[in-house]
Amino acid sequence: MTLSRRGLLAATLALPFVGTARAQPGWQPSRPIQLIVGFAPGGGSDIIARTIAEAAAPLFPQPLVVVNRPGAGGAIAAEFVSRAAPDGHTLLIAGGSESTSLPAHRDLPYDPKRSFTAVIRLTRNAHFICARGKGGRFTSMQQVIEAAKARPEAVTHGSSGVGTLSHSIFIMLGRATGTELLHVPYTGGGPQQQALLAGQVDLVVQASDELRGLAASGDIVPLACASAQRMPAYPQVPTLRELGIDLVADNMKGWVGPAGMPPAMVGYLHDRFRRGMATPGWQRFMEQTGEADGYADGSGFQRDMDTLLDNIRAAMRRA
């Protein structure tokens, strides 16, 4: 008998939890849990936080309250959580620029490797290097690299801001290919997408949920995926590694709390959010976004964030 993706995941989650994330008796929340999002309502991080909060809410004896603290690419929210009491009542949706990219570009009032306790990774969103479809210059990564090698800064790329992950991916691409691209920063993902469509830049980084309609219409063409494997929603798009470019950079999302949270607390939170990932609401969300299951326990999540940050720092040192 062949299990569906949903059935297989549900069967997996029904098994007992083992390892460091296994909850021990003796702790549970005594007041509402604040789920801090470092970006405005309606963005990708906010949608992920609200979807898993709704899915996991019946598993908690206290409310899960999403609180938006936007600004500085997520760093304002990260600082707030790093200074909170490690009592399990304040968590941050982390794993993106505030955790893996901004700290490589400038000093921050928190240490992404030591100021937090990772609880669980929820998603692993693929990044795609994209070109303008109608009237654009490029239809393949080979064309991009050839043009960039022929003349430094002849190829322009947008980003959602200096120090963001979309900026750092192009830094790593330049180091991996021996090219120099011209950076044009914008104030967010929406403005950089509009700049690409208007022909103001040649390339941008887009997440799969940002691509859906525009890729289907041919207005934006994904040239390569920065994940380790091809994404189910875009099976025709090769990974950068398949093209001989050693670059992997996922936009991860998961929960972290302040440093010093005890294992029993981490285990309690981990297990309930993990069970929330098996609910129909979360599964529908994952199917709609077309993403692969992004689960990792706290230690795995922290390790992958640290690795990406180290890779970005190494690329910047070679710049």
Side-chain angles (χ1 to χ4, degrees):
M1 179 180 67
T2 302
L3 288 174
S4 66
R5 174 188 168 191
R6 184 178 299 176
L8 180 59
L9 181 58
T12 301
L13 296 183
L15 297 174
F17 288 110
V18 295
T20 57
R22 178 64 176 163
Q24 301 298 319
W27 183 86
Q28 64 176 356
S30 58
R31 62 181 187 275
I33 297 175
Q34 288 193 90
L35 304 177
I36 308 299
V37 178
F39 302 91
S45 296
D46 181 71
I47 293 171
I48 290 169
R50 293 181 187 277
T51 303
I52 192 61
E54 182 178 357
L59 306 170
F60 285 85
Q62 296 288 338
L64 303 177
V65 182
V66 176
V67 179
N68 298 88
R69 287 180 169 266
I76 290 175
E79 180 185 4
F80 174 80
V81 173
S82 73
R83 298 181 185 280
D87 59 9
H89 294 90
T90 308
L91 301 177
L92 171 73
I93 192 81
S97 295
E98 77 293 320
S99 306
T100 62
S101 185
L102 287 174
H105 290 259
R106 62 178 184 264
D107 291 334
L108 294 170
Y110 58 87
D111 184 331
K113 295 186 178 184
R114 297 180 177 86
S115 297
F116 303 98
T117 303
V119 175
I120 187 170
R121 188 174 68 192
L122 304 166
T123 66
R124 222 172 20 87
N125 299 321
H127 277 129
F128 293 86
I129 295 177
C130 298
R132 184 183 178 197
K134 299 171 182 177
R137 294 174 60 190
F138 303 112
T139 59
S140 71
M141 281 302 301
Q142 182 179 0
Q143 292 176 345
V144 170
I145 294 167
E146 288 174 353
K149 286 185 174 180
R151 187 159 62 93
E153 298 192 342
V155 178
T156 59
H157 74 86
S159 79
S160 55
V162 174
T164 59
L165 194 47
S166 59
H167 178 199
S168 293
I169 285 173
F170 280 110
I171 293 176
M172 291 191 288
L173 178 66
R175 301 293 79 75
T177 59
T179 59
E180 187 175 349
L181 310 178
L182 179 62
H183 177 216
V184 184
Y186 292 89
T187 57
Q192 72 157 346
Q193 185 183 81
Q194 291 303 313
L196 178 69
L197 292 171
Q200 296 170 357
V201 293
D202 296 314
L203 304 170
V204 298
V205 166
Q206 295 276 271
S208 58
D209 57 343
E210 297 169 321
L211 270 178
R212 266 174 287 178
L214 292 168
S217 67
D219 291 306
I220 288 181
V221 177
L223 305 180
C225 175
S227 291
Q229 298 89 27
R230 295 193 185 200
M231 290 295 103
Y234 299 92
Q236 77 283 7
V237 180
T239 67
L240 288 168
R241 279 187 169 174
E242 288 179 81
L243 300 175
I245 303 169
D246 188 16
L247 195 167
V248 174
D250 287 319
N251 185 20
M252 299 170 275
K253 296 298 177 201
W255 296 120
V256 304
M261 291 169 58
M265 184 182 297
V266 174
Y268 181 99
L269 295 166
H270 168 279
D271 289 2
R272 279 151 184 79
F273 282 116
R274 180 62 168 142
R275 287 163 60 189
M277 294 173 72
T279 62
W282 180 259
Q283 286 298 295
R284 281 194 301 270
F285 170 71
M286 293 296 288
E287 289 171 1
Q288 289 167 1
T289 58
E291 298 293 351
D293 178 31
Y295 168 74
D297 66 8
S299 61
F301 184 25
Q302 188 67 57
R303 181 181 62 249
D304 288 348
M305 287 190 289
D306 292 350
T307 297
L308 180 52
L309 176 59
D310 290 343
N311 289 343
I312 292 172
R313 282 174 168 163
M316 293 184 66
R317 285 195 297 269
R318 295 196 300 270

